[in-house]
Every structure is written in C-alpha cells, then in structure tokens.
Amino acid sequence: MSSDDLDTVAALHDPVRRAVYDYVASRGCEVGRNEAAEAVGVQRTLAAFHLDKLVEAGLLEAGFKRLTDRTGPGSGRPSKVYRRAPGEWQVSVPARDYRTLARTLAEVVDLLGGDEQAERVARRAGAGLAGPGEDLGEVLRRRGYEPYEEEGRLRLRNCPFHLLAEEHPLLVCSVNLALCQGLLAGLGEEAVAARLDPRPGECCVAFSKEDL
Amino acid sequence: MHLAQLNIAHMRAPKDSPELADFVAALDPINRLSDEAPGFVWRLKGGDAPQDTVEHDYGDHLLINFSVWESRDTLWDFTYRSAHLGVLQRRREWFLRMAEPYSVMWWIPRDHVPTLAEGMERLELLKAEGPTPRAFTFKDFYDSSEAAWRPAAAEVRK
C-alpha cells in the first residue's frame, strides 16, 4: 500500500462527495454537473466543487462535451463532463499485498495448466459467498460487481479482478464465471444462470433467466 | 503504426472431424465479428468461403490466425471482450495445450501488408529471445514508440 492510495481513498470520506462519486460510477458514462447535482440533491456549485475535487484526487476524469443535440452558433459552449477514472486503489492497514500474491499464483496456475481445477475451486468458493435466499443483486453489489439491469439481464459494470483479468484473461474470466455460478448455487437460485457475455469495459459475466 | 498478431494452434483432430465440428461452426460468426470489430484492419483469409482457414506449409493440424489491428485496446476488446472469449474458453476441447509461445504481436507501418512467413519469423523470435519490441505479447507489451520497425534487423541477427 502506498500512502498515495490512502490519500486518494480518503478523498471519498465526505458523504456528499462519496454520493457524487457513486452516482458518476453508477452511470458508466459521462455525466454533467447539473445531472450530478440533481441526482445527489445538492446545489450545482457544490456538486461542481466535489466533482473537481474527485478529479484532483484521480478518482474521476474530466472532459468537455456538448450535452444537447444542437450544434452551430447559439448552441452554447460544451459542458464539463465527468466519468470514473480507470485506475484502482487498494488500502489495507497494516500493509498486505494480496495483489502480488494473486498475480504470482495466477501465473503458476497458467504454467501448470490448472484452469479446470481453478474453476472447480472457484465454484465451491462462490457457493460459500452467499446464503440461501439472499438477494443476488445485493450480494453482487457487496462484492464490488456494480450490477445494473439491462433488457432483462443483470449486467456487471465492474470487474473486481480487473488487474488480474488484464494479465490472465482466460484464467481469470473462467474463474470469475465459475465463482458467479457457485454464488447462484449458494443462493439456491435455480431460475437464473450466469453466462459469459463480455463487452468492452465491463465484467465478462451477465445473469439472465435460465431459459433465455 | 498498426499492430499485427499471429496465433497458431494445434488441432486435436483433422478440421473435418466431428471433434472439431463446433469449432468449425464458430468460424463464420467469429470471423464476421472480427471483421466488424472496431479497430480491425486486415485478416489473412484462407479462401472466399467463411469457414476457409489459412493454407500453409507449417505442418498438418496447425491452425493459423493472422490479423492486423489499429491498437492494442481494439485487439484486446475483440479477443477478450466479445463473443470470441467463449470460443477461447473452449480451446482445450479442440486444440492441444502448447508449452511454447503460440501467439505473437509486433508493430508494422500502416501501409504494410505482412506475409505469413514474416509472422512465423516473429513467433520464432519470441521463442528464441522472449518478449522484445520486435516480438511481444499482451502480457509483455511494447508500445509502437519503443518498437522501431527495422526490416533489416531480423536479417542481421541470422
């Protein structure tokens, strides 16, 4: 853990700022100041203040974009817009470095060709992550998947294993799918299936009705 | 600069065998997906039929995939963030496990159409020297700025 990560995460301590961050993150696209202010229920200037602080901390990225369809003279200046920055920050006190350990072990699994065993273990581990009758969306939210609904599917905006998935995509995405399938088993949820449905910038798994 | 990628895979059985049927059935939709993917530039085609694979003299049961992309991210998104991922995950059903590198990337000038021989040379280079700016992988990636393209460089080392 670097002290910089701690400073970055500390920027989320203020409840209003946290709400602003959560809103931008939950949208998964560029968000204007007015929209953020309305969503969080604060004045536009206060929302702008917190949005810019979040950019300063490196948690959001800012850009300029025309928020209306109008172009040409009279359509106004482009608005400042915000979206979540791609980095990730990890804080543990005292310092623990599970990331390096995970990278090392993932490489070993790759070298040994142990994907299938890894998937079996993941399925079992997933079943232990949720109890019967718990709400699937809530369990996924708790585990950092950032679920949202789209066309009858529960999609996952965030991959909790992003860094490892970049280095070992086949292994990590398979393990993640198995984990999600195990999770459904743990919930006792038989009407829903976890399937690969990858798209850029998101987790590779989506949940849908078994017969879909 | 454009990014060229060559993949080879050893089929467990002949291409027209029942063991490979699911893979062959996936060729057309996946090739379509790649040709329409953002950042796709070029793919070495084996023929006009959607299921034709690249013809070569590098040994029976060797399946070759060779394509050119605008950037690392566009190739990455097609490979691992599209329906292609599901096909990759079933690779063990159709292909033997490879102990040696089976995938290589390198930068080429935008107007250059690479040859299969060039691609196989890059793969040999990766096997011989590990990842370098001239032959690398997703895991050990080199930016185009680090990978000055010198066609003579490969010759000098022979």
Side-chain angles (χ1 to χ4, degrees):
Chain A
M1 177 190 67
S2 74
S3 56
D4 289 338
D5 274 12
L6 187 54
D7 286 346
T8 304
V9 174
L12 290 170
H13 178 66
D14 181 281
V16 176
R17 194 174 299 166
R18 179 67 196 260
V20 169
Y21 174 80
D22 285 344
Y23 177 71
V24 176
S26 75
R27 296 292 292 145
C29 61
E30 286 159 329
V31 170
R33 288 172 161 173
N34 285 340
E35 190 189 340
E38 248 170 63
V40 177
V42 295
Q43 291 281 319
R44 184 179 182 280
T45 44
L46 184 60
F49 168 76
H50 284 302
L51 284 164
D52 288 330
K53 282 285 176 197
L54 287 162
V55 172
E56 237 172 79
L59 290 161
L60 297 182
E61 285 178 343
F64 288 92
K65 194 179 172 184
R66 236 173 260 285
L67 292 177
T68 64
D69 291 334
R70 286 178 299 151
T71 53
S75 58
R77 283 190 300 139
S79 314
K80 196 164 185 184
V81 290
Y82 302 83
R83 63 162 178 243
R84 175 159 46 186
E88 60 179 63
W89 292 268
Q90 190 172 264
V91 174
S92 65
V93 180
R96 307 271 196 247
D97 187 7
Y98 300 112
R99 192 182 277 174
T100 303
L101 182 65
R103 280 172 144 160
T104 307
L105 294 179
E107 183 136 12
V108 172
V109 173
D110 255 3
L111 286 171
L112 295 178
D115 323 36
E116 282 171 16
Q117 287 97 317
E119 283 169 47
R120 262 202 298 281
V121 173
R123 200 160 283 124
R124 225 174 23 235
L129 294 178
E134 278 189 85
D135 178 65
L136 173 61
E138 186 42 45
V139 172
L140 292 168
R141 217 179 323 277
R142 216 164 54 215
R143 306 216 62 87
Y145 282 102
E146 300 183 358
Y148 68 98
E149 277 182 47
E150 187 190 275
E151 293 167 4
R153 284 169 183 228
L154 198 59
R155 302 197 59 100
L156 309 172
R157 203 180 300 287
N158 183 51
C159 167
F161 314 115
H162 178 74
L163 198 89
L164 273 177
E166 284 274 310
E167 281 185 19
H168 300 276
L170 286 178
L171 172 64
V172 175
C173 295
S174 304
V175 162
N176 184 41
L177 176 64
L179 207 61
C180 288
Q181 289 167 339
L183 209 134
L184 287 175
L187 292 172
E189 178 64 82
E190 283 167 10
V192 175
R195 292 193 182 87
L196 279 185
D197 190 4
R199 59 161 76 158
E202 292 192 358
C203 173
C204 58
V205 174
F207 294 85
S208 56
K209 292 265 172 359
E210 184 66 77
D211 51 1
L212 261 182
Chain B
M1 301 289 272
H2 280 156
L3 185 64
Q5 189 201 36
L6 176 95
N7 289 300
I8 58 167
H10 284 277
M11 291 182 278
R12 288 182 173 276
K15 206 185 126 188
D16 55 3
S17 65
E19 289 96 316
L20 267 283
D22 280 3
F23 173 75
V24 172
L27 278 171
D28 186 25
I30 294 298
N31 282 337
R32 265 176 221 271
L33 193 66
S34 106
D35 296 358
E36 286 159 18
F40 170 84
V41 176
W42 173 88
R43 175 167 63 81
L44 184 61
K45 290 182 182 169
D48 294 329
Q51 295 183 343
D52 284 345
T53 50
V54 173
E55 304 267 341
H56 59 82
D57 304 322
Y58 294 94
D60 293 344
H61 292 198
L62 196 66
L63 194 91
I64 293 180
N65 202 300
F66 191 9
S67 55
V68 173
W69 297 77
E70 279 174 12
S71 65
R72 177 201 184 274
D73 289 352
T74 52
L75 174 56
W76 170 273
D77 280 346
F78 164 68
T79 310
Y80 298 117
R81 285 292 173 267
S82 76
H84 183 255
L85 179 67
V87 175
L88 274 182
Q89 285 198 317
R90 293 183 64 189
R91 69 200 182 285
R92 299 260 202 273
E93 295 176 35
W94 308 311
F95 304 107
L96 296 174
R97 209 184 134 67
M98 306 253 251
E100 287 182 321
Y102 51 86
S103 177
V104 64
M105 284 173 229
W106 67 103
W107 292 102
I108 57 173
R110 295 176 73 97
D111 55 0
H112 178 66
V113 179
T115 63
L116 185 54
E118 186 186 328
M120 295 303 272
E121 271 171 36
R122 298 283 170 159
L123 188 61
E124 290 304 318
L125 196 65
L126 179 69
K127 283 181 195 169
E129 299 184 7
T132 65
R134 295 186 299 135
F136 49 90
T137 62
F138 269 133
K139 199 156 165 289
D140 296 285
F141 194 83
Y142 287 85
D143 282 333
S144 57
S145 55
E146 298 170 60
W149 191 73
R150 289 182 222 94
E155 294 300 319
V156 170
R157 287 190 175 265
K158 274 183 185 167

